[in-house]
Amino acid sequence: MKPIIGCVLLLTLLLTACLPTTPVTVPLPTPWLVTPNPNATLTPTPFRPAPAATPTLLTLPPAPAPTLPAATPVNVPLSQPSGVRPHYTFYVNLDYHTHQVAAQEVIQYPNQTGVPLERLVLSVQPNLWTGCFTLSSLTQNDRPLTATLDGQRMDVILPTPLQPGETITLAVGFQLNLPPKKFEGTFGFLGYQVNLTNWYPFVVPYDPAQGWILHDPWPFGEHLVYDAADFDLYLQLAEGSEDVIIAASSPGVAENGWTHYHLEGARTFALSASDQFKIAESALGAIPIRSYYFGKQGAGERLASAATQALAIFQARFGPYPYSSLSIVATESPDGQEFDGLVFLSEEFYEQYQGGIKNNLVSIGVHEIAHQWWFGLVGNDQALEPWLDEALATYSERVFYEYYDLTSWWWGFRVNYFSPAGWVDTNVYDGIAFRPYTNAVYLRGAKFMEALRLRIGDEAFFAFLQDYAGRYGRRRVAAADFFAVLHEHTSADVSDIVGAYFKHAP
Ligand SMILES: [Zn+2]
């Protein structure tokens, strides 16, 4: 079943040479709308309801140091060589109080597809909101380009086909009139916060077999697929916004009146701004970890320490953390949401927090942090094969809690409470409701990973995960890749396990 999209008008935008001085307002199509269901439990990361009046408090020494297994060296380089990834440079002015963004974006796109490209297809998520996105210029070497803008999709017609191995440089000028943030999403403004997520045009992946990969939005789960890219963002805060604190996908450095953010090999660059952030800081080696929060101090501090432990455990188990910093940011939402180097967590989790790590705050926080490996480092099609990031991120929670001897508690709290059923390889468009979807993909996904681990043993299981993360770091995987690497690490027959959990055995 495919999502029903509101009637959208195909718009052709012809940009002329005078555009930089005469901004053209692109007529906006009817936005895609989600009608919030007040009774729904929409959450990309399923969580258990808040504990009742008498929560069990766990006495935990502050910042306990778990005994970590020695990390097995990964023989495969984590990064592609530089120059093969798209590069995005932004000059951004953010007016926090009026919710306005003015941006100049330069996209350097190397054609790594192996075939000539007559066009580029860009995702423009802000155009899904009425009156949010205005394209003011689109040029190549100062020559205007022709583009069509249709909902979230912009087709840029190239004057001459981009040959394999060639790189094209596009300049895109745009403004955002940010919308109020929906409870279920992250993009937009609240009275005390501005979140910039999937906020700029980016080139979606091209696959010679599938074409351009830009799936329809869906009320739950994620629909975007990303190539890994490099980012340089130069940010200026508008007059009157100087008191605002910025959380970002990478650390910021002051440079000539700008704050410069650099991020390599990531799927997307996210920002959150607030004049009311409180910050709890930690670090793992050279990796700064910052928890940006509004509510209880204990919750914000607990997240900073739990994130530090999670990074240490996951580095030992999966391979090096892929980024240079980590920001954990509270926002008004029902759940958590991952981006590269930055994750969002529901303010409700902070409010529910009663101490310890047996709660949504830490389990969902750890889940989103695990996505730095399973989403950020190893990319996948989040709409059609969501288990490749969600099952692994959920199972990573178990990997975290086993260091605290809380494995049984975790299975009960996060998985068995829901009596999960369904196929792990369910996709977001399969036509089932949110809860059965997450039960199948996330929770049965975790059980599938546990069954694999029991069958092949810890040593082969974690060697497989490290090899998989290393080999497919900064790339995108499909189910077949997952199983191909698995079979290199075990001769065990796992076909009965696959048959029990997968509708279509890969
Ligand atoms: Zn997730």
Side-chain angles (χ1 to χ4, degrees):
M1 180 172 142
K2 283 284 174 187
I4 299 160
I5 303 296
C7 177
V8 218
L9 185 62
L10 181 68
L11 299 161
T12 300
L13 173 69
L14 287 172
L15 294 161
T16 61
C18 64
L19 267 178
T21 50
T22 315
V24 167
T25 303
V26 182
L28 291 154
T30 308
W32 180 79
L33 292 173
V34 178
T35 307
N37 173 1
N39 300 316
T41 53
L42 284 178
T43 158
T45 307
F47 61 89
R48 183 161 168 176
T54 52
T56 309
L57 289 179
L58 176 74
T59 308
L60 192 76
T67 308
L68 298 175
T72 309
V74 178
N75 294 323
V76 186
L78 266 182
S79 301
Q80 299 163 325
S82 62
V84 303
R85 289 193 289 261
H87 188 282
Y88 293 83
T89 305
F90 302 94
Y91 288 86
V92 173
N93 184 282
L94 169 64
D95 192 323
Y96 174 81
H97 296 287
T98 63
H99 319 126
Q100 302 297 309
V101 173
Q104 288 293 329
E105 175 184 13
V106 176
I107 304 173
Q108 292 163 284
Y109 179 81
N111 181 359
Q112 296 286 320
T113 66
V115 297
L117 298 173
E118 295 180 347
R119 67 181 59 211
L120 297 180
V121 174
L122 278 67
S123 153
V124 188
Q125 297 303 301
N127 203 39
L128 294 171
W129 278 261
T130 304
C132 175
F133 179 80
T134 302
L135 182 66
S136 52
S137 62
L138 174 63
T139 59
Q140 178 196 8
N141 297 330
D142 295 327
R143 288 183 315 219
L145 291 168
T146 301
T148 62
L149 184 61
D150 176 14
Q152 64 168 346
R153 175 175 171 138
M154 183 160 71
D155 284 51
V156 178
I157 313 303
L158 304 180
T160 55
L162 182 66
Q163 299 301 322
E166 285 183 353
T167 296
I168 190 172
T169 301
L170 305 179
V172 186
F174 66 94
Q175 286 94 44
L176 302 178
N177 175 29
L178 295 172
K181 196 186 87 58
K182 293 174 184 168
F183 184 58
E184 297 83 4
T186 51
F187 177 70
F189 70 86
L190 299 165
Y192 51 89
Q193 190 175 32
V194 165
N195 295 333
L196 296 180
T197 54
N198 293 315
W199 55 279
Y200 52 84
F202 67 90
V203 183
V204 302
Y206 180 86
D207 181 281
Q210 299 180 61
W212 296 99
I213 305 173
L214 180 56
H215 303 304
D216 292 331
W218 190 244
F220 57 76
E222 284 99 34
H223 69 283
L224 293 171
V225 186
Y226 310 86
D227 283 326
D230 299 332
F231 298 87
D232 282 289
L233 186 150
Y234 298 85
L235 178 70
Q236 260 180 357
L237 294 168
E239 212 174 300
S241 298
E242 297 88 348
D243 56 341
V244 168
I245 293 169
I246 304 288
S249 286
S250 69
V253 178
E255 266 183 38
N256 302 322
W258 299 84
T259 305
H260 177 198
Y261 301 88
H262 179 74
L263 180 67
E264 291 188 5
R267 308 289 159 184
T268 184
F269 195 102
L271 297 158
S272 180
S274 174
D275 54 0
Q276 295 178 37
F277 274 143
K278 297 183 241 178
I279 304 175
E281 292 186 294
S282 179
L284 181 70
I287 305 166
I289 296 162
R290 291 195 180 87
S291 165
Y292 299 83
Y293 63 102
F294 305 104
K296 293 180 186 173
Q297 182 181 358
E301 290 179 347
R302 170 62 72 183
L303 266 179
S305 73
T308 310
Q309 301 296 356
L311 246 55
I313 290 168
F314 295 159
Q315 288 208 122
R317 285 308 206 183
F318 309 148
Y321 178 67
Y323 309 116
S324 58
S325 67
L326 175 64
S327 299
I328 305 138
V329 184
T331 197
E332 186 186 285
S333 80
D335 46 62
Q337 182 69 49
E338 74 278 13
F339 296 94
D340 304 76
L342 185 151
V343 301
F344 287 101
L345 273 187
S346 168
E347 284 179 61
E348 292 176 5
F349 299 158
Y350 296 74
E351 293 309 311
Q352 295 163 5
Y353 177 72
Q354 303 279 351
I357 61 173
K358 292 163 71 175
N359 46 50
N360 288 320
L361 182 84
V362 173
S363 59
I364 307 296
V366 165
H367 176 105
E368 307 306 343
I369 290 166
H371 274 302
Q372 304 304 303
W373 282 263
W374 320 124
F375 157 78
L377 181 60
V378 180
N380 63 298
D381 189 320
Q382 299 187 100
L384 299 184
E385 294 187 309
W387 75 271
L388 282 167
D389 63 299
E390 295 301 354
L392 270 66
T394 305
Y395 191 73
S396 299
E397 299 173 42
R398 185 254 200 258
V399 173
F400 172 84
Y401 279 99
E402 67 194 67
Y403 283 89
Y404 299 91
D405 288 331
L406 290 172
T407 309
S408 298
W409 169 83
W410 180 83
W411 281 111
F413 179 74
R414 283 281 283 144
V415 179
N416 296 329
Y417 172 84
F418 297 97
S419 303
W423 301 110
V424 171
D425 52 341
T426 298
N427 70 51
V428 299
Y429 306 121
D430 269 346
I432 62 175
F434 170 73
R435 188 73 251 174
Y437 162 77
T438 49
N439 283 355
V441 173
Y442 294 57
L443 305 187
R444 287 263 293 161
K447 285 178 171 266
F448 161 70
M449 294 298 291
E450 179 80 354
L452 273 188
R453 180 177 173 179
L454 288 172
R455 177 69 55 86
I456 74 177
D458 274 19
E459 193 176 332
F461 181 78
F462 287 110
F464 152 60
L465 286 179
Q466 286 207 12
D467 189 10
Y468 173 71
R471 206 180 299 189
Y472 288 100
R474 324 294 190 193
R475 302 175 191 275
R476 282 180 289 111
V477 289
D481 303 315
F482 175 96
F483 285 101
V485 180
L486 172 70
H487 289 304
E488 290 182 30
H489 287 272
T490 181
S491 55
D493 180 3
V494 299
S495 58
D496 58 322
I497 297 174
V498 175
Y501 286 92
F502 284 73
K503 187 176 185 179
H504 305 289

Short mmCIF file of all heavy atoms in Angstrom, two decimals, residues 20 88-93 101-107 136-139 170-175 199 232-234 258:
data_model
loop_
_atom_site.label_atom_id
_atom_site.label_comp_id
_atom_site.label_asym_id
_atom_site.label_seq_id
_atom_site.Cartn_x
_atom_site.Cartn_y
_atom_site.Cartn_z
N PRO A 20 19.12 36.65 -8.63
CA PRO A 20 19.72 36.97 -7.33
C PRO A 20 19.24 38.31 -6.78
O PRO A 20 19.17 38.49 -5.59
CB PRO A 20 21.22 36.97 -7.63
CG PRO A 20 21.36 36.01 -8.77
CD PRO A 20 20.12 36.22 -9.60
N TYR A 88 28.57 19.54 0.82
CA TYR A 88 27.61 20.63 0.99
C TYR A 88 28.26 21.74 1.82
O TYR A 88 28.78 21.48 2.90
CB TYR A 88 26.35 20.13 1.72
CG TYR A 88 25.54 19.15 0.91
CD1 TYR A 88 25.89 17.80 0.88
CD2 TYR A 88 24.44 19.57 0.17
CE1 TYR A 88 25.16 16.89 0.12
CE2 TYR A 88 23.71 18.66 -0.60
CZ TYR A 88 24.07 17.33 -0.62
OH TYR A 88 23.35 16.43 -1.37
N THR A 89 28.22 22.95 1.27
CA THR A 89 28.68 24.13 2.00
C THR A 89 27.49 25.07 2.18
O THR A 89 26.77 25.33 1.21
CB THR A 89 29.80 24.86 1.24
OG1 THR A 89 30.85 23.93 0.95
CG2 THR A 89 30.35 26.02 2.07
N PHE A 90 27.31 25.53 3.40
CA PHE A 90 26.18 26.43 3.67
C PHE A 90 26.68 27.71 4.33
O PHE A 90 27.56 27.65 5.21
CB PHE A 90 25.19 25.81 4.67
CG PHE A 90 24.62 24.49 4.26
CD1 PHE A 90 25.20 23.30 4.67
CD2 PHE A 90 23.47 24.43 3.48
CE1 PHE A 90 24.67 22.08 4.32
CE2 PHE A 90 22.93 23.21 3.11
CZ PHE A 90 23.53 22.04 3.53
N TYR A 91 26.11 28.83 3.92
CA TYR A 91 26.21 30.07 4.68
C TYR A 91 24.80 30.39 5.12
O TYR A 91 23.91 30.59 4.28
CB TYR A 91 26.81 31.19 3.82
CG TYR A 91 28.28 30.98 3.57
CD1 TYR A 91 28.71 30.19 2.50
CD2 TYR A 91 29.23 31.53 4.42
CE1 TYR A 91 30.06 29.96 2.28
CE2 TYR A 91 30.59 31.30 4.21
CZ TYR A 91 30.99 30.52 3.15
OH TYR A 91 32.33 30.28 2.95
N VAL A 92 24.60 30.40 6.42
CA VAL A 92 23.23 30.47 6.95
C VAL A 92 23.11 31.62 7.93
O VAL A 92 23.96 31.79 8.82
CB VAL A 92 22.86 29.14 7.66
CG1 VAL A 92 21.52 29.25 8.37
CG2 VAL A 92 22.85 27.99 6.67
N ASN A 93 22.05 32.39 7.77
CA ASN A 93 21.68 33.38 8.77
C ASN A 93 20.39 32.91 9.43
O ASN A 93 19.39 32.67 8.75
CB ASN A 93 21.50 34.76 8.12
CG ASN A 93 21.20 35.82 9.17
OD1 ASN A 93 20.09 35.92 9.68
ND2 ASN A 93 22.21 36.59 9.52
N VAL A 101 15.17 31.70 8.17
CA VAL A 101 16.49 31.21 7.79
C VAL A 101 16.78 31.70 6.37
O VAL A 101 15.94 31.54 5.48
CB VAL A 101 16.54 29.66 7.81
CG1 VAL A 101 17.87 29.15 7.24
CG2 VAL A 101 16.33 29.15 9.23
N ALA A 102 17.93 32.31 6.16
CA ALA A 102 18.38 32.66 4.81
C ALA A 102 19.65 31.87 4.56
O ALA A 102 20.57 31.87 5.38
CB ALA A 102 18.66 34.15 4.71
N ALA A 103 19.70 31.17 3.44
CA ALA A 103 20.82 30.26 3.21
C ALA A 103 21.34 30.34 1.79
O ALA A 103 20.57 30.46 0.83
CB ALA A 103 20.40 28.82 3.51
N GLN A 104 22.65 30.30 1.67
CA GLN A 104 23.33 30.06 0.40
C GLN A 104 23.99 28.70 0.51
O GLN A 104 24.75 28.45 1.43
CB GLN A 104 24.38 31.14 0.12
CG GLN A 104 23.80 32.51 -0.24
CD GLN A 104 23.08 32.48 -1.58
OE1 GLN A 104 23.44 31.73 -2.47
NE2 GLN A 104 22.04 33.31 -1.71
N GLU A 105 23.67 27.84 -0.42
CA GLU A 105 24.16 26.46 -0.36
C GLU A 105 24.94 26.16 -1.63
O GLU A 105 24.50 26.51 -2.72
CB GLU A 105 22.95 25.52 -0.25
CG GLU A 105 23.29 24.04 -0.30
CD GLU A 105 22.02 23.16 -0.28
OE1 GLU A 105 20.92 23.69 -0.48
OE2 GLU A 105 22.17 21.94 -0.10
N VAL A 106 26.09 25.53 -1.47
CA VAL A 106 26.86 25.06 -2.64
C VAL A 106 26.95 23.55 -2.55
O VAL A 106 27.38 22.99 -1.53
CB VAL A 106 28.27 25.68 -2.67
CG1 VAL A 106 29.08 25.09 -3.83
CG2 VAL A 106 28.17 27.19 -2.79
N ILE A 107 26.50 22.89 -3.60
CA ILE A 107 26.51 21.43 -3.64
C ILE A 107 27.53 20.98 -4.67
O ILE A 107 27.41 21.34 -5.84
CB ILE A 107 25.12 20.87 -4.04
CG1 ILE A 107 24.03 21.38 -3.09
CG2 ILE A 107 25.15 19.34 -4.07
CD1 ILE A 107 22.62 21.01 -3.54
N SER A 136 15.40 31.06 -4.12
CA SER A 136 15.69 32.38 -4.69
C SER A 136 16.68 32.31 -5.83
O SER A 136 16.71 33.21 -6.67
CB SER A 136 16.19 33.33 -3.60
OG SER A 136 17.25 32.75 -2.90
N SER A 137 17.51 31.30 -5.88
CA SER A 137 18.44 31.18 -7.00
C SER A 137 18.92 29.75 -7.14
O SER A 137 18.97 28.99 -6.17
CB SER A 137 19.65 32.11 -6.79
OG SER A 137 20.36 31.73 -5.63
N LEU A 138 19.23 29.40 -8.37
CA LEU A 138 19.75 28.06 -8.65
C LEU A 138 20.65 28.19 -9.87
O LEU A 138 20.16 28.46 -10.97
CB LEU A 138 18.60 27.09 -8.92
CG LEU A 138 18.99 25.68 -9.37
CD1 LEU A 138 19.80 24.97 -8.30
CD2 LEU A 138 17.74 24.87 -9.70
N THR A 139 21.94 28.04 -9.66
CA THR A 139 22.88 28.28 -10.76
C THR A 139 23.97 27.23 -10.80
O THR A 139 24.25 26.55 -9.80
CB THR A 139 23.56 29.66 -10.61
OG1 THR A 139 24.26 29.70 -9.35
CG2 THR A 139 22.56 30.80 -10.66
N LEU A 170 26.65 23.10 -7.91
CA LEU A 170 25.42 23.88 -7.97
C LEU A 170 25.41 24.88 -6.83
O LEU A 170 25.88 24.59 -5.73
CB LEU A 170 24.18 22.99 -7.80
CG LEU A 170 23.98 21.80 -8.71
CD1 LEU A 170 22.70 21.07 -8.31
CD2 LEU A 170 23.88 22.27 -10.16
N ALA A 171 24.86 26.06 -7.09
CA ALA A 171 24.64 27.04 -6.02
C ALA A 171 23.14 27.23 -5.86
O ALA A 171 22.43 27.45 -6.83
CB ALA A 171 25.31 28.35 -6.36
N VAL A 172 22.69 27.09 -4.64
CA VAL A 172 21.26 27.17 -4.34
C VAL A 172 21.06 28.24 -3.28
O VAL A 172 21.67 28.17 -2.20
CB VAL A 172 20.71 25.83 -3.81
CG1 VAL A 172 19.20 25.89 -3.65
CG2 VAL A 172 21.13 24.66 -4.69
N GLY A 173 20.23 29.23 -3.58
CA GLY A 173 19.86 30.21 -2.57
C GLY A 173 18.42 29.94 -2.13
O GLY A 173 17.56 29.70 -2.97
N PHE A 174 18.19 29.93 -0.83
CA PHE A 174 16.81 29.69 -0.38
C PHE A 174 16.55 30.34 0.96
O PHE A 174 17.49 30.68 1.70
CB PHE A 174 16.50 28.19 -0.34
CG PHE A 174 17.27 27.40 0.68
CD1 PHE A 174 16.73 27.15 1.95
CD2 PHE A 174 18.52 26.87 0.41
CE1 PHE A 174 17.42 26.41 2.89
CE2 PHE A 174 19.23 26.13 1.34
CZ PHE A 174 18.68 25.90 2.59
N GLN A 175 15.28 30.55 1.23
CA GLN A 175 14.85 31.05 2.54
C GLN A 175 13.84 30.07 3.14
O GLN A 175 13.10 29.42 2.40
CB GLN A 175 14.18 32.42 2.42
CG GLN A 175 15.13 33.57 2.17
CD GLN A 175 15.26 33.86 0.68
OE1 GLN A 175 14.26 33.90 -0.02
NE2 GLN A 175 16.47 34.05 0.20
N TRP A 199 16.49 20.21 6.44
CA TRP A 199 16.07 21.58 6.22
C TRP A 199 16.60 22.19 4.93
O TRP A 199 16.27 23.32 4.59
CB TRP A 199 16.50 22.46 7.41
CG TRP A 199 17.99 22.37 7.71
CD1 TRP A 199 18.62 21.39 8.42
CD2 TRP A 199 19.01 23.26 7.26
NE1 TRP A 199 19.99 21.62 8.45
CE2 TRP A 199 20.26 22.78 7.75
CE3 TRP A 199 19.02 24.45 6.51
CZ2 TRP A 199 21.47 23.41 7.50
CZ3 TRP A 199 20.24 25.08 6.27
CH2 TRP A 199 21.44 24.56 6.76
N ASP A 232 30.22 21.54 5.36
CA ASP A 232 30.78 22.72 6.02
C ASP A 232 29.66 23.73 6.14
O ASP A 232 29.10 24.15 5.12
CB ASP A 232 31.94 23.30 5.20
CG ASP A 232 33.21 22.50 5.40
OD1 ASP A 232 33.79 22.60 6.51
OD2 ASP A 232 33.60 21.75 4.49
N LEU A 233 29.34 24.08 7.36
CA LEU A 233 28.25 25.02 7.59
C LEU A 233 28.80 26.23 8.33
O LEU A 233 29.48 26.08 9.36
CB LEU A 233 27.14 24.34 8.39
CG LEU A 233 25.85 25.14 8.61
CD1 LEU A 233 24.67 24.21 8.73
CD2 LEU A 233 25.92 26.03 9.84
N TYR A 234 28.54 27.42 7.77
CA TYR A 234 28.93 28.67 8.40
C TYR A 234 27.65 29.36 8.86
O TYR A 234 26.78 29.67 8.04
CB TYR A 234 29.70 29.55 7.42
CG TYR A 234 30.99 28.91 6.96
CD1 TYR A 234 31.01 28.02 5.89
CD2 TYR A 234 32.19 29.18 7.62
CE1 TYR A 234 32.19 27.41 5.48
CE2 TYR A 234 33.37 28.58 7.21
CZ TYR A 234 33.37 27.70 6.15
OH TYR A 234 34.54 27.09 5.75
N TRP A 258 31.68 34.12 11.78
CA TRP A 258 30.77 32.98 11.59
C TRP A 258 31.11 31.90 12.61
O TRP A 258 32.21 31.86 13.14
CB TRP A 258 30.96 32.38 10.19
CG TRP A 258 30.68 33.29 9.05
CD1 TRP A 258 31.56 34.20 8.51
CD2 TRP A 258 29.47 33.41 8.32
NE1 TRP A 258 30.95 34.86 7.47
CE2 TRP A 258 29.67 34.41 7.33
CE3 TRP A 258 28.23 32.78 8.38
CZ2 TRP A 258 28.69 34.77 6.43
CZ3 TRP A 258 27.24 33.14 7.48
CH2 TRP A 258 27.47 34.13 6.52
#
